[in-house]
Coordinates of all heavy atoms in Angstrom, one line a residue:
M69 N 0.8 -1.2 0.0 CA 0.0 0.0 0.0 C 0.9 1.2 0.0 O 1.9 1.3 0.7 CB -0.9 0.0 1.2 CG -1.9 1.1 1.2 SD -3.2 0.8 2.4 CE -2.5 1.5 3.9
S70 N 0.5 2.3 -0.7 CA 1.3 3.5 -0.8 C 1.1 4.3 0.5 O 0.0 4.3 1.1 CB 0.9 4.3 -2.0 OG -0.4 4.7 -2.0
P71 N 2.0 5.2 0.8 CA 1.9 6.0 2.0 C 0.8 7.1 1.8 O 0.5 7.4 0.6 CB 3.2 6.7 2.1 CG 4.2 6.0 1.2 CD 3.3 5.3 0.2
P72 N 0.2 7.6 2.8 CA -0.9 8.6 2.7 C -0.3 9.9 2.2 O 0.9 10.2 2.5 CB -1.4 8.7 4.1 CG -0.4 8.2 5.0 CD 0.4 7.2 4.2
L73 N -1.1 10.7 1.5 CA -0.7 11.9 0.9 C -1.2 13.1 1.8 O -2.4 13.1 2.1 CB -1.2 12.0 -0.5 CG -0.7 13.3 -1.3 CD1 -0.2 12.9 -2.6 CD2 -1.9 14.2 -1.4
F74 N -0.4 14.1 2.1 CA -0.8 15.3 2.8 C -0.4 16.5 2.1 O 0.7 16.6 1.6 CB -0.3 15.2 4.3 CG -0.9 14.1 5.1 CD1 -0.2 12.9 5.2 CD2 -2.1 14.2 5.6 CE1 -0.8 11.8 5.9 CE2 -2.7 13.2 6.3 CZ -2.0 12.0 6.5
W75 N -1.2 17.5 2.1 CA -0.9 18.8 1.5 C -0.1 19.7 2.4 O -0.4 19.8 3.6 CB -2.2 19.6 1.1 CG -3.1 18.8 0.2 CD1 -4.3 18.1 0.6 CD2 -3.0 18.5 -1.1 NE1 -4.8 17.5 -0.5 CE2 -4.1 17.7 -1.6 CE3 -2.0 18.9 -2.1 CZ2 -4.2 17.3 -2.9 CZ3 -2.2 18.5 -3.4 CH2 -3.3 17.7 -3.8
V76 N 0.9 20.3 1.8 CA 1.8 21.3 2.5 C 2.0 22.5 1.6 O 1.8 22.4 0.4 CB 3.2 20.7 2.9 CG1 3.0 19.5 3.9 CG2 3.9 20.2 1.7
A77 N 2.3 23.6 2.2 CA 2.5 24.8 1.4 C 3.7 24.7 0.5 O 3.7 25.1 -0.7 CB 2.7 26.0 2.4
D78 N 4.8 24.2 1.0 CA 6.1 24.0 0.2 C 6.6 22.6 0.5 O 6.9 22.2 1.6 CB 7.1 25.1 0.6 CG 6.7 26.5 0.3 OD1 6.3 26.7 -0.9 OD2 6.8 27.4 1.2
V79 N 6.8 21.9 -0.6 CA 7.3 20.6 -0.5 C 8.8 20.6 -0.3 O 9.6 21.4 -0.9 CB 7.1 19.8 -1.9 CG1 7.7 18.4 -1.8 CG2 5.6 19.7 -2.1
P80 N 9.3 19.9 0.7 CA 10.7 19.9 1.1 C 11.6 19.2 0.0 O 11.2 18.2 -0.5 CB 10.8 19.2 2.4 CG 9.7 18.3 2.4 CD 8.6 18.9 1.6
R81 N 12.8 19.7 -0.2 CA 13.8 19.0 -1.0 C 14.3 17.8 -0.2 O 14.2 17.7 1.1 CB 14.9 19.9 -1.4 CG 14.5 21.2 -2.0 CD 14.2 20.9 -3.5 NE 13.9 22.2 -4.1 CZ 13.2 22.3 -5.2 NH1 12.6 21.3 -5.7 NH2 13.1 23.5 -5.8
A82 N 14.9 16.8 -0.8 CA 15.5 15.7 -0.2 C 16.5 16.1 0.9 O 17.3 17.0 0.7 CB 16.1 14.7 -1.2
G83 N 16.4 15.5 2.1 CA 17.3 15.8 3.2 C 16.8 17.0 4.1 O 17.4 17.2 5.1
T84 N 15.7 17.6 3.7 CA 15.2 18.7 4.6 C 13.9 18.3 5.2 O 13.3 17.3 4.9 CB 15.0 20.0 3.8 OG1 14.0 19.8 2.7 CG2 16.3 20.5 3.1
D85 N 13.5 19.1 6.2 CA 12.3 18.8 7.0 C 11.1 19.6 6.6 O 11.2 20.7 6.1 CB 12.6 19.0 8.5 CG 13.6 18.1 9.0 OD1 13.9 17.0 8.4 OD2 14.2 18.3 10.1
V86 N 9.9 19.1 6.9 CA 8.7 19.8 6.7 C 7.8 19.6 7.9 O 7.8 18.5 8.5 CB 8.0 19.4 5.4 CG1 7.5 17.9 5.4 CG2 6.8 20.2 5.1
V87 N 7.0 20.6 8.3 CA 6.0 20.5 9.3 C 4.7 20.3 8.7 O 4.3 21.2 7.8 CB 6.1 21.7 10.3 CG1 4.9 21.7 11.3 CG2 7.4 21.8 10.9
V88 N 4.0 19.3 9.0 CA 2.6 19.1 8.6 C 1.7 19.5 9.8 O 1.7 18.9 10.8 CB 2.3 17.7 8.1 CG1 0.9 17.5 7.7 CG2 3.3 17.2 7.1
S89 N 0.9 20.6 9.6 CA 0.2 21.1 10.7 C -1.2 21.5 10.3 O -1.6 21.4 9.1 CB 0.9 22.3 11.4 OG 1.0 23.3 10.4
G90 N -2.0 22.1 11.2 CA -3.4 22.5 10.9 C -4.2 21.3 10.6 O -4.0 20.2 11.2
P91 N -5.3 21.4 9.7 CA -6.2 20.3 9.5 C -5.4 19.0 8.9 O -5.8 17.9 9.3 CB -7.1 20.8 8.4 CG -7.1 22.3 8.6 CD -5.7 22.6 9.1
E92 N -4.4 19.3 8.1 CA -3.7 18.1 7.5 C -2.9 17.4 8.6 O -2.9 16.2 8.7 CB -2.7 18.6 6.5 CG -3.4 19.1 5.2 CD -4.1 18.0 4.4 OE1 -3.4 17.0 4.1 OE2 -5.3 18.1 4.2
G93 N -2.3 18.1 9.5 CA -1.5 17.6 10.6 C -2.4 16.8 11.6 O -2.1 15.7 12.1
R94 N -3.6 17.4 11.9 CA -4.6 16.8 12.8 C -5.0 15.5 12.2 O -5.1 14.5 12.9 CB -5.7 17.7 13.0 CG -6.7 17.1 14.0 CD -7.7 18.2 14.5 NE -8.5 17.8 15.6 CZ -8.1 17.7 16.8 NH1 -6.9 18.1 17.1 NH2 -8.9 17.3 17.8
H95 N -5.3 15.5 10.9 CA -5.8 14.2 10.2 C -4.7 13.2 10.3 O -4.9 12.0 10.5 CB -6.2 14.5 8.8 CG -6.8 13.3 8.1 ND1 -8.1 12.9 8.3 CD2 -6.3 12.4 7.2 CE1 -8.3 11.8 7.6 NE2 -7.2 11.5 7.0
A96 N -3.4 13.6 10.1 CA -2.3 12.6 10.1 C -2.1 12.0 11.5 O -1.9 10.8 11.6 CB -1.0 13.3 9.6
V97 N -2.2 12.9 12.5 CA -1.8 12.4 13.8 C -3.0 11.7 14.5 O -2.9 10.6 15.1 CB -1.4 13.6 14.7 CG1 -1.1 13.2 16.1 CG2 -0.1 14.2 14.1
T98 N -4.2 12.3 14.5 CA -5.3 11.8 15.3 C -6.2 10.8 14.5 O -6.8 9.9 15.1 CB -6.2 12.9 15.9 OG1 -6.7 13.7 14.8 CG2 -5.4 13.8 16.8
V99 N -6.4 11.0 13.2 CA -7.3 10.2 12.4 C -6.5 9.0 11.8 O -6.9 7.8 12.0 CB -8.0 11.0 11.3 CG1 -8.9 10.1 10.5 CG2 -8.8 12.1 11.9
T100 N -5.5 9.3 11.1 CA -4.7 8.2 10.4 C -3.8 7.6 11.4 O -3.4 6.4 11.2 CB -3.8 8.8 9.3 OG1 -4.7 9.6 8.5 CG2 -3.2 7.7 8.4
R101 N -3.5 8.2 12.5 CA -2.6 7.7 13.6 C -1.3 7.3 13.1 O -0.8 6.2 13.5 CB -3.3 6.6 14.4 CG -4.6 7.1 15.0 CD -5.2 6.0 15.8 NE -6.5 6.5 16.4 CZ -7.0 6.1 17.5 NH1 -6.4 5.2 18.2 NH2 -8.2 6.6 17.9
L102 N -0.6 8.2 12.4 CA 0.7 7.9 11.9 C 1.7 8.0 13.1 O 1.4 8.8 14.0 CB 1.1 8.9 10.8 CG 0.4 8.7 9.5 CD1 0.8 9.8 8.5 CD2 0.6 7.4 8.9
A103 N 2.8 7.2 13.1 CA 3.7 7.2 14.2 C 5.1 7.5 13.6 O 5.4 7.5 12.4 CB 3.7 5.9 14.8
V104 N 6.0 7.8 14.5 CA 7.4 8.1 14.2 C 8.0 6.9 13.4 O 7.7 5.7 13.8 CB 8.2 8.4 15.4 CG1 9.7 8.5 15.1 CG2 7.7 9.7 16.1
G105 N 8.6 7.2 12.3 CA 9.2 6.1 11.5 C 8.4 5.7 10.3 O 8.8 5.1 9.4
E106 N 7.1 6.1 10.3 CA 6.2 5.8 9.2 C 6.4 6.8 8.1 O 6.9 7.9 8.3 CB 4.8 5.7 9.6 CG 4.5 4.6 10.5 CD 3.0 4.5 10.8 OE1 2.4 5.3 11.5 OE2 2.4 3.5 10.3
E107 N 6.0 6.4 6.8 CA 6.2 7.3 5.7 C 4.9 8.0 5.3 O 3.8 7.5 5.6 CB 6.7 6.5 4.5 CG 8.1 6.0 4.6 CD 8.6 5.5 3.3 OE1 7.8 5.0 2.4 OE2 9.8 5.5 3.1
L108 N 5.1 9.2 4.7 CA 4.0 9.9 4.1 C 4.5 10.6 2.8 O 5.7 10.7 2.6 CB 3.4 10.9 5.1 CG 4.2 12.1 5.6 CD1 4.2 13.3 4.7 CD2 3.7 12.5 6.9
I109 N 3.6 11.1 2.0 CA 3.9 11.8 0.8 C 3.4 13.3 1.0 O 2.2 13.5 1.3 CB 3.3 11.2 -0.5 CG1 3.9 9.8 -0.7 CG2 3.6 12.1 -1.6 CD1 3.3 9.1 -1.8
A110 N 4.3 14.2 0.9 CA 4.0 15.6 1.0 C 3.8 16.2 -0.4 O 4.6 15.9 -1.3 CB 5.1 16.4 1.7
C111 N 2.7 16.9 -0.6 CA 2.3 17.4 -1.9 C 1.9 18.9 -1.8 O 1.2 19.2 -0.9 CB 1.3 16.5 -2.5 SG 0.7 17.1 -4.1
D112 N 2.2 19.7 -2.8 CA 1.8 21.1 -2.8 C 0.6 21.4 -3.8 O 0.2 22.5 -3.9 CB 2.9 22.0 -3.1 CG 3.5 21.8 -4.5 OD1 3.0 21.0 -5.3 OD2 4.5 22.5 -4.8
G113 N 0.1 20.4 -4.5 CA -1.0 20.6 -5.4 C -0.5 21.2 -6.8 O -1.4 21.5 -7.6
R114 N 0.7 21.5 -6.9 CA 1.3 22.1 -8.2 C 2.2 21.1 -8.9 O 2.9 21.5 -9.8 CB 2.0 23.4 -7.9 CG 1.1 24.4 -7.3 CD 1.9 25.7 -7.0 NE 3.0 25.5 -6.1 CZ 2.9 25.8 -4.8 NH1 1.8 26.2 -4.2 NH2 4.0 25.6 -4.0
G115 N 2.2 19.8 -8.4 CA 3.0 18.8 -9.1 C 4.3 18.4 -8.4 O 4.9 17.4 -8.7
S116 N 4.6 19.1 -7.3 CA 5.8 18.7 -6.5 C 5.4 17.7 -5.4 O 4.4 17.9 -4.7 CB 6.5 19.9 -5.9 OG 6.9 20.8 -6.9
T117 N 6.1 16.6 -5.2 CA 5.9 15.7 -4.2 C 7.2 15.3 -3.5 O 8.3 15.3 -4.1 CB 5.2 14.4 -4.7 OG1 6.0 13.8 -5.7 CG2 3.8 14.7 -5.2
A118 N 7.1 14.9 -2.3 CA 8.3 14.3 -1.6 C 7.9 13.2 -0.7 O 6.8 13.2 0.0 CB 8.9 15.4 -0.7
R119 N 8.6 12.1 -0.8 CA 8.4 10.9 0.1 C 9.2 11.2 1.4 O 10.4 11.4 1.4 CB 8.9 9.7 -0.6 CG 8.4 8.4 0.1 CD 8.9 7.2 -0.7 NE 8.0 6.1 -0.3 CZ 7.0 5.6 -1.0 NH1 6.7 6.2 -2.1 NH2 6.3 4.6 -0.6
C120 N 8.4 11.2 2.5 CA 9.0 11.7 3.8 C 8.8 10.6 4.9 O 7.9 9.7 4.8 CB 8.3 12.9 4.3 SG 8.3 14.3 3.1
E121 N 9.7 10.7 5.9 CA 9.6 9.8 7.0 C 9.3 10.7 8.2 O 10.0 11.7 8.4 CB 10.9 9.0 7.3 CG 10.9 8.1 8.5 CD 12.2 7.4 8.7 OE1 13.0 7.4 7.8 OE2 12.4 6.9 9.8
I122 N 8.4 10.3 9.1 CA 8.0 11.1 10.3 C 9.1 10.9 11.3 O 9.5 9.8 11.6 CB 6.7 10.6 10.8 CG1 5.6 10.8 9.8 CG2 6.3 11.3 12.1 CD1 4.3 10.2 10.1
V123 N 9.6 12.1 11.8 CA 10.7 12.0 12.8 C 10.2 12.5 14.1 O 10.9 12.2 15.1 CB 11.9 12.9 12.3 CG1 12.6 12.3 11.1 CG2 11.5 14.3 12.0
A124 N 9.1 13.2 14.2 CA 8.5 13.6 15.5 C 7.1 13.9 15.4 O 6.6 14.5 14.4 CB 9.3 14.8 16.0
I125 N 6.3 13.6 16.4 CA 4.9 14.0 16.5 C 4.9 15.1 17.6 O 5.4 15.0 18.7 CB 4.0 12.8 17.0 CG1 4.1 11.6 16.1 CG2 2.6 13.3 17.2 CD1 3.5 11.8 14.8
T126 N 4.4 16.3 17.2 CA 4.4 17.5 18.1 C 3.0 17.9 18.4 O 2.5 18.8 17.8 CB 5.2 18.6 17.4 OG1 4.7 18.9 16.1 CG2 6.7 18.2 17.3
G127 N 2.3 17.3 19.3 CA 1.0 17.6 19.7 C 0.0 16.8 18.9 O 0.3 15.8 18.3
K128 N -1.3 17.2 19.0 CA -2.4 16.4 18.4 C -2.7 16.9 17.0 O -3.5 16.3 16.3 CB -3.7 16.6 19.2 CG -3.7 16.0 20.6 CD -5.0 16.1 21.2 CE -5.0 15.4 22.6 NZ -6.3 15.5 23.2
D129 N -2.0 17.9 16.5 CA -2.3 18.4 15.2 C -1.0 18.8 14.4 O -1.1 19.7 13.5 CB -3.3 19.6 15.2 CG -2.7 20.8 16.0 OD1 -1.7 20.7 16.6 OD2 -3.4 21.8 15.9
S130 N 0.1 18.2 14.7 CA 1.3 18.6 14.0 C 2.4 17.5 14.1 O 2.4 16.8 15.1 CB 1.9 19.9 14.7 OG 3.0 20.3 14.0
L131 N 3.1 17.4 13.0 CA 4.2 16.4 13.0 C 5.4 17.0 12.1 O 5.2 17.9 11.3 CB 3.7 15.1 12.4 CG 3.2 15.0 11.0 CD1 4.4 14.8 10.0 CD2 2.3 13.8 10.9
L132 N 6.5 16.4 12.4 CA 7.7 16.8 11.6 C 8.2 15.6 10.8 O 8.3 14.5 11.4 CB 8.8 17.3 12.6 CG 10.2 17.7 12.0 CD1 10.0 19.0 11.3 CD2 11.2 17.8 13.1
A133 N 8.4 15.8 9.5 CA 8.8 14.8 8.6 C 10.1 15.2 7.8 O 10.2 16.3 7.5 CB 7.7 14.4 7.7
R134 N 10.9 14.2 7.5 CA 12.2 14.5 6.8 C 12.0 13.8 5.4 O 11.6 12.7 5.2 CB 13.4 13.9 7.5 CG 14.7 14.1 6.7 CD 15.9 14.0 7.6 NE 15.9 15.0 8.6 CZ 16.0 14.7 9.9 NH1 16.1 13.5 10.3 NH2 16.0 15.7 10.8
A135 N 12.2 14.6 4.3 CA 12.1 14.2 3.0 C 13.3 13.3 2.5 O 14.4 13.6 2.8 CB 12.0 15.4 2.0
H136 N 12.9 12.2 1.9 CA 14.0 11.3 1.3 C 14.1 11.5 -0.2 O 15.2 11.4 -0.7 CB 13.6 9.8 1.6 CG 13.7 9.5 3.1 ND1 14.9 9.5 3.8 CD2 12.7 9.2 4.0 CE1 14.7 9.2 5.0 NE2 13.4 9.0 5.2
T137 N 13.0 11.7 -0.8 CA 13.0 11.9 -2.3 C 12.1 13.1 -2.6 O 11.2 13.4 -1.9 CB 12.5 10.7 -3.1 OG1 11.1 10.4 -2.7 CG2 13.4 9.5 -2.8
Y138 N 12.4 13.8 -3.7 CA 11.7 14.9 -4.2 C 11.5 14.7 -5.7 O 12.4 14.3 -6.4 CB 12.5 16.2 -3.9 CG 11.9 17.4 -4.5 CD1 10.8 18.1 -3.9 CD2 12.3 18.0 -5.7 CE1 10.3 19.2 -4.4 CE2 11.7 19.1 -6.3 CZ 10.7 19.7 -5.6 OH 10.1 20.9 -6.1
A139 N 10.3 15.0 -6.2 CA 9.9 14.9 -7.6 C 9.0 16.0 -8.0 O 8.2 16.5 -7.2 CB 9.3 13.5 -7.9
V140 N 9.1 16.4 -9.3 CA 8.2 17.3 -9.9 C 7.6 16.6 -11.1 O 8.3 16.1 -12.0 CB 8.9 18.6 -10.3 CG1 7.9 19.6 -11.0 CG2 9.5 19.3 -9.1
A141 N 6.3 16.6 -11.2 CA 5.6 16.0 -12.3 C 5.7 16.9 -13.5 O 5.6 18.1 -13.4 CB 4.1 15.7 -12.0
A142 N 5.9 16.3 -14.7 CA 5.9 17.0 -15.9 C 4.5 17.6 -16.2 O 3.5 16.9 -16.1 CB 6.4 16.1 -17.1
A143 N 4.5 18.8 -16.7 CA 3.2 19.5 -17.1 C 2.7 18.8 -18.4 O 3.5 18.5 -19.3 CB 3.4 21.0 -17.3
R144 N 1.4 18.7 -18.4 CA 0.8 18.1 -19.6 C 0.0 19.2 -20.3 O -0.7 20.0 -19.8 CB -0.2 17.0 -19.2 CG 0.4 15.8 -18.6 CD -0.5 14.8 -18.2 NE -1.3 14.3 -19.4 CZ -2.3 13.5 -19.3 NH1 -2.6 12.9 -18.2 NH2 -3.0 13.1 -20.4
H145 N 0.3 19.3 -21.6 CA -0.3 20.4 -22.4 C -1.1 19.7 -23.6 O -0.6 18.8 -24.2 CB 0.7 21.3 -23.0 CG 1.5 22.1 -21.9 ND1 0.9 23.1 -21.2 CD2 2.7 21.9 -21.4 CE1 1.8 23.6 -20.4 NE2 2.9 22.8 -20.5
F146 N -2.3 20.2 -23.9 CA -3.0 19.7 -25.0 C -3.1 20.7 -26.1 O -3.2 21.9 -25.8 CB -4.5 19.3 -24.5 CG -4.5 18.2 -23.5 CD1 -4.7 18.5 -22.2 CD2 -4.4 16.9 -23.9 CE1 -4.7 17.5 -21.2 CE2 -4.4 15.9 -23.0 CZ -4.6 16.2 -21.7
S147 N -3.0 20.3 -27.3 CA -3.0 21.2 -28.4 C -4.4 21.8 -28.7 O -4.5 22.9 -29.3 CB -2.4 20.6 -29.7 OG -3.3 19.5 -30.0
R148 N -5.4 21.1 -28.2 CA -6.8 21.6 -28.4 C -7.6 21.2 -27.2 O -7.2 20.2 -26.5 CB -7.4 21.2 -29.7 CG -7.5 19.7 -29.8 CD -7.9 19.3 -31.2 NE -7.9 17.8 -31.3 CZ -8.9 17.1 -31.6 NH1 -10.1 17.6 -31.8 NH2 -8.8 15.8 -31.7
P149 N -8.7 21.8 -26.9 CA -9.5 21.4 -25.8 C -9.9 19.9 -25.9 O -10.2 19.4 -27.0 CB -10.7 22.3 -25.9 CG -10.3 23.5 -26.7 CD -9.2 22.9 -27.6
F150 N -9.9 19.3 -24.8 CA -10.2 17.9 -24.7 C -11.7 17.7 -24.7 O -12.4 18.4 -23.9 CB -9.6 17.2 -23.5 CG -10.0 15.8 -23.2 CD1 -9.4 14.8 -24.0 CD2 -11.0 15.5 -22.3 CE1 -9.8 13.5 -23.8 CE2 -11.4 14.2 -22.1 CZ -10.8 13.2 -22.8
S151 N -12.3 16.8 -25.5 CA -13.7 16.6 -25.4 C -13.9 15.1 -25.2 O -13.3 14.2 -25.9 CB -14.3 17.0 -26.8 OG -15.7 16.6 -26.8
A152 N -14.8 14.8 -24.3 CA -15.0 13.4 -24.0 C -15.9 12.7 -25.1 O -15.8 11.5 -25.3 CB -15.7 13.2 -22.6
L153 N -16.7 13.5 -25.7 CA -17.6 13.0 -26.8 C -17.1 13.6 -28.1 O -17.3 14.8 -28.4 CB -19.0 13.4 -26.5 CG -19.6 12.9 -25.2 CD1 -21.0 13.5 -25.0 CD2 -19.7 11.4 -25.3
P154 N -16.6 12.8 -29.0 CA -16.2 13.3 -30.3 C -17.4 13.8 -31.1 O -18.4 13.1 -31.1 CB -15.5 12.2 -31.0 CG -16.0 11.0 -30.3 CD -16.4 11.4 -28.9
V155 N -17.3 14.9 -31.8 CA -18.3 15.4 -32.7 C -17.8 15.4 -34.1 O -16.7 16.0 -34.3 CB -18.8 16.8 -32.2 CG1 -19.8 17.4 -33.1 CG2 -19.2 16.8 -30.8
H156 N -18.6 14.9 -35.0 CA -18.2 14.9 -36.4 C -18.2 16.4 -36.8 O -19.0 17.2 -36.5 CB -19.2 14.1 -37.2 CG -18.7 13.9 -38.6 ND1 -19.0 14.8 -39.6 CD2 -18.0 13.0 -39.2 CE1 -18.5 14.4 -40.8 NE2 -17.9 13.3 -40.5
R157 N -17.1 16.8 -37.6 CA -16.9 18.2 -38.0 C -18.1 18.7 -38.7 O -18.6 19.8 -38.5 CB -15.7 18.3 -38.8 CG -15.1 19.7 -38.9 CD -13.8 19.7 -39.6 NE -12.8 19.2 -38.7 CZ -11.5 19.4 -38.8 NH1 -11.1 20.0 -39.9 NH2 -10.7 19.0 -37.9
A158 N -18.7 18.0 -39.7 CA -19.8 18.5 -40.5 C -21.0 18.7 -39.6 O -21.8 19.6 -39.7 CB -20.1 17.5 -41.6
T159 N -21.3 17.8 -38.6 CA -22.4 17.9 -37.7 C -22.2 19.1 -36.9 O -23.2 19.9 -36.6 CB -22.5 16.6 -36.9 OG1 -22.6 15.5 -37.7 CG2 -23.7 16.7 -36.0
H160 N -21.0 19.3 -36.4 CA -20.7 20.5 -35.6 C -21.0 21.8 -36.3 O -21.6 22.7 -35.8 CB -19.3 20.4 -35.1 CG -18.9 21.6 -34.2 ND1 -19.4 21.8 -33.0 CD2 -18.0 22.6 -34.5 CE1 -18.9 22.9 -32.4 NE2 -18.1 23.4 -33.3
R161 N -20.5 21.9 -37.5 CA -20.7 23.1 -38.4 C -22.2 23.3 -38.6 O -22.7 24.4 -38.5 CB -20.0 22.9 -39.7 CG -18.5 23.3 -39.6 CD -18.0 23.5 -41.0 NE -16.6 23.1 -41.0 CZ -16.0 22.3 -41.7 NH1 -16.6 21.6 -42.7 NH2 -14.7 22.0 -41.6
A162 N -22.9 22.3 -38.9 CA -24.3 22.4 -39.2 C -25.1 22.9 -38.0 O -26.0 23.7 -38.0 CB -24.9 21.1 -39.7
A163 N -24.7 22.3 -36.8 CA -25.4 22.7 -35.6 C -25.1 24.2 -35.2 O -25.9 24.9 -34.8 CB -25.0 21.8 -34.4
C164 N -23.8 24.6 -35.5 CA -23.4 26.0 -35.2 C -24.1 27.0 -36.1 O -24.4 28.1 -35.7 CB -21.9 26.1 -35.3 SG -21.0 25.4 -34.0
H165 N -24.4 26.6 -37.3 CA -25.0 27.5 -38.3 C -26.5 27.4 -38.3 O -27.2 28.0 -39.1 CB -24.4 27.2 -39.7 CG -23.0 27.6 -39.8 ND1 -22.5 28.8 -39.6 CD2 -21.9 26.8 -40.0 CE1 -21.2 28.8 -39.7 NE2 -20.8 27.6 -39.9
G166 N -27.1 26.5 -37.5 CA -28.5 26.4 -37.4 C -29.2 25.6 -38.5 O -30.4 25.7 -38.7
T167 N -28.5 24.8 -39.2 CA -29.1 24.0 -40.3 C -29.5 22.7 -39.8 O -30.2 22.0 -40.5 CB -28.1 23.8 -41.4 OG1 -26.9 23.2 -40.9 CG2 -27.8 25.2 -42.1
I168 N -29.2 22.3 -38.5 CA -29.7 21.1 -37.9 C -30.6 21.5 -36.8 O -30.2 22.3 -35.9 CB -28.6 20.2 -37.4 CG1 -27.8 19.6 -38.5 CG2 -29.2 19.1 -36.6 CD1 -26.7 18.7 -38.1
S169 N -31.8 21.0 -36.7 CA -32.8 21.3 -35.6 C -32.7 20.2 -34.6 O -32.6 19.0 -35.0 CB -34.2 21.5 -36.2 OG -35.1 21.6 -35.2
S170 N -32.9 20.6 -33.4 CA -33.0 19.5 -32.4 C -34.4 18.9 -32.3 O -34.6 18.0 -31.6 CB -32.6 20.1 -31.0 OG -33.4 21.2 -30.6
A171 N -35.4 19.6 -32.9 CA -36.8 19.1 -32.9 C -36.9 17.8 -33.8 O -36.2 17.7 -34.8 CB -37.7 20.1 -33.4
P172 N -37.7 16.9 -33.4 CA -37.8 15.7 -34.2 C -38.5 16.0 -35.6 O -39.3 16.9 -35.7 CB -38.7 14.7 -33.4 CG -39.4 15.6 -32.4 CD -38.5 16.8 -32.2
A173 N -38.0 15.3 -36.6 CA -38.6 15.5 -37.9 C -39.9 14.9 -38.0 O -40.2 13.8 -37.5 CB -37.6 14.8 -39.0
S174 N -40.8 15.6 -38.7 CA -42.2 15.1 -38.8 C -42.2 14.1 -40.0 O -41.6 14.4 -41.0 CB -43.2 16.2 -39.0 OG -42.9 17.0 -40.1
V175 N -43.0 13.1 -39.9 CA -43.1 12.1 -41.0 C -44.5 12.2 -41.6 O -45.5 12.1 -40.9 CB -42.8 10.7 -40.4 CG1 -43.0 9.7 -41.5 CG2 -41.5 10.6 -39.7
A176 N -44.5 12.4 -42.9 CA -45.8 12.5 -43.6 C -46.3 11.1 -44.0 O -45.5 10.3 -44.4 CB -45.7 13.4 -44.8
R177 N -47.6 10.8 -43.8 CA -48.1 9.5 -44.2 C -48.8 9.7 -45.5 O -49.5 10.7 -45.8 CB -49.1 9.0 -43.2 CG -48.4 8.7 -41.9 CD -49.4 8.1 -40.9 NE -48.6 7.6 -39.8 CZ -48.7 6.4 -39.3 NH1 -49.4 5.5 -39.9 NH2 -48.0 6.1 -38.2
S178 N -48.7 8.7 -46.3 CA -49.4 8.8 -47.6 C -50.7 8.0 -47.6 O -51.0 7.3 -46.8 CB -48.5 8.2 -48.7 OG -48.1 6.9 -48.4

């Protein structure tokens, strides 16, 4: 199982320490019940992560962890907006120009 992930303002570089406090620290210490020696992943939400080891528990809502590894995820860029549903180009043009109606076609009986 992978270590739990916790949000921090600044992800520490390898060999440096980070304090996990506030709601994240409270969740780590009192809910998840992490202990000294266990691992966690610190993340800043911008693509930086660090695999850390807990070195001290400081109260009910704070812990100190030392980073072992640091990584930055590569940014992903799309050349055009992503669409989950592909639309045929001719259908799209017709719908944009109002030549296709969303009302059902009426059928004449002979």
Side-chain angles (χ1 to χ4, degrees):
M69 186 164 89
S70 63
L73 183 133
F74 294 97
W75 301 104
V76 294
D78 295 310
V79 175
R81 305 282 188 204
T84 60
D85 294 343
V86 64
V87 174
V88 180
S89 60
E92 291 292 303
R94 184 168 191 78
H95 187 77
V97 175
T98 60
V99 177
T100 311
R101 297 182 184 210
L102 294 176
V104 173
E106 292 187 289
E107 287 191 336
L108 63 86
I109 296 175
C111 177
D112 63 4
R114 297 180 301 262
S116 299
T117 59
R119 191 176 202 100
C120 305
E121 180 183 344
I122 299 171
V123 293
I125 303 290
T126 54
K128 292 184 177 183
D129 62 351
S130 182
L131 63 85
L132 180 69
R134 181 160 298 127
H136 292 293
T137 61
Y138 174 82
V140 178
R144 294 179 58 184
H145 298 283
F146 295 100
S147 59
R148 61 188 173 118
F150 175 78
S151 174
L153 299 174
V155 177
H156 189 272
R157 196 173 284 196
T159 305
H160 179 70
R161 277 194 208 125
C164 288
H165 295 296
T167 56
I168 292 180
S169 172
S170 60
S174 60
V175 178
R177 293 186 175 234
S178 52

